[in-house]
Amino acid sequence: MDIQKLVDEIRRKKSFLCVGLDVDLNKIPPHLLDTEDPIFEFNKAIIDATHDLAVAYKPNTAFYEAYGVKGWISLQKTINYLNENYPEVFTIADAKRGDIGNTSTMYAKAFLEDLAFDSVTVAPYMGKDSVEPFLAFKDKFTILLALTSNKGAFDFQTKNVEGQEFYKEVLEVSKTWENSQNLMYVVGATKAEYFTEIRKIVPDSFLLVPGVGAQGGSLQEVCKYGLNDTIGLLINSSRGIIYASQGKDFAEKARIEAAKLQAEMAGLV
């Protein structure tokens, strides 16, 4: 997807909401367990109920890989359904891959070519040659883990390295990589106070922001410090939307929760 199409979609829907499709069979409505593919049926219903409110969907691949071949098939059916029925939405494979050389190329082909996602999340720890193979794909985006929303982020990401916090070094160095215009960054909503410093380094980049809702992140705080001229944010909510109900009304309840976030966003677009 061309980045301008994403910006246009944000303006059209007055939304920068990303819905996380992190499907746990222990949490979905029990009546779906009797269907041939409970994961896909759950995703399909959530997507159909929220597609006009969201500009992006983000399946976390761990929730599919955990179920083996069946889970991978569910993931493929989900991305195919999105691409065929709602091609205007931005799709994110939350896979957090990253390895050297040809291995990264194969990861990139798996998610960006075979499954045809618009983007994939990538860990930067192994450096330039582990990320550039992802960046080589035209009109595809690599979403680099920069400052995550978990407590363990403080173990390394905020440590001072030669006078600068490590996450800032990641941001600075990544801008020198080939095709760095295809980079986006993960920045957790629970780290809202860091957005001002991040925007000094990557003022124009899109930031994928998990942690709003169930993890306690504040949409207003994130927007206060993180918005740019093109909005530049994709705010992800997973559990707070998709598990709003375990009843047969789960899709309708998911829509209600998505609409609450979209309404907050509408005044900012």
Side-chain angles (χ1 to χ4, degrees):
M1 177 184 287
D2 179 88
I3 197 68
Q4 188 57 48
K5 289 182 180 178
L6 174 58
V7 175
D8 291 344
E9 192 68 5
I10 288 170
R11 302 291 188 195
R12 185 178 74 83
K13 290 181 176 175
K14 299 187 185 311
S15 171
F16 40 101
L17 174 63
C18 174
V19 175
L21 299 173
D22 303 350
V23 186
D24 183 339
L25 289 178
N26 294 314
K27 295 180 179 179
I28 70 172
H31 73 276
L32 292 177
L33 297 177
D34 295 328
T35 64
E36 181 181 348
D37 189 340
I39 293 175
F40 174 67
E41 292 301 328
F42 179 79
N43 283 345
K44 180 178 179 294
I46 294 291
I47 292 164
D48 287 342
T50 61
H51 70 90
D52 58 322
L53 302 169
V55 298
Y57 289 91
K58 182 180 72 64
N60 184 315
T61 61
F63 287 84
Y64 301 83
E65 294 172 88
Y67 299 109
V69 173
K70 288 184 178 180
W72 199 258
I73 290 171
S74 298
L75 178 63
Q76 186 161 43
K77 287 166 68 175
T78 298
I79 185 61
N80 288 348
Y81 187 76
L82 281 165
N83 286 339
E84 290 168 9
N85 294 277
Y86 306 110
E88 73 279 4
V89 302
F90 187 73
T91 56
I92 303 166
D94 190 2
K96 299 180 179 70
R97 295 302 200 264
D99 206 333
I100 56 173
N102 288 337
T103 309
S104 275
T105 298
M106 293 303 176
Y107 279 139
K109 284 173 67 68
F111 292 106
L112 302 178
E113 194 172 277
D114 181 47
L115 289 173
F117 278 91
D118 293 311
S119 64
V120 59
T121 58
V122 172
Y125 189 75
M126 292 181 70
K128 175 180 178 178
D129 55 336
S130 71
V131 179
E132 285 188 338
F134 292 91
L135 295 173
F137 285 72
K138 181 177 171 56
D139 291 331
K140 301 288 186 175
F141 295 88
T142 301
I143 309 179
L144 210 63
L145 302 178
L147 187 60
T148 53
S149 57
N150 61 307
K151 292 180 181 179
F154 296 106
D155 290 347
F156 299 113
Q157 295 168 27
T158 58
K159 294 296 185 186
N160 192 290
V161 179
E162 297 183 354
Q164 179 165 254
E165 289 168 295
F166 185 59
Y167 78 90
K168 292 181 180 178
E169 184 73 8
V170 169
L171 293 170
E172 293 279 11
V173 172
S174 70
K175 289 164 54 177
T176 70
W177 295 340
E178 189 172 0
N179 296 317
S180 61
Q181 72 275 7
N182 295 335
L183 279 171
M184 297 180 177
Y185 300 92
V186 175
V187 180
T190 54
K191 308 290 190 299
E193 66 273 21
Y194 291 88
F195 275 78
T196 299
E197 292 299 306
I198 289 168
R199 277 302 185 205
K200 290 178 182 177
I201 303 171
V202 287
D204 301 320
S205 300
F206 262 86
L207 307 178
L208 172 62
V209 185
V212 167
Q215 293 185 53
S218 164
L219 174 63
Q220 294 300 323
E221 285 295 297
V222 169
C223 291
K224 180 179 179 180
Y225 301 110
L227 287 174
N228 64 16
D229 291 342
T230 60
I231 300 302
L233 298 173
L234 292 172
I235 302 292
N236 182 78
S237 179
S238 301
R239 287 170 286 173
I241 291 176
I242 67 174
Y243 296 134
S245 170
Q246 280 197 308
K248 292 187 176 181
D249 64 346
F250 72 98
E252 291 87 347
K253 294 294 187 183
R255 179 179 177 80
I256 290 170
E257 295 305 314
K260 290 177 184 177
L261 282 172
Q262 185 274 330
E264 284 190 69
M265 295 172 179
L268 300 167
V269 176

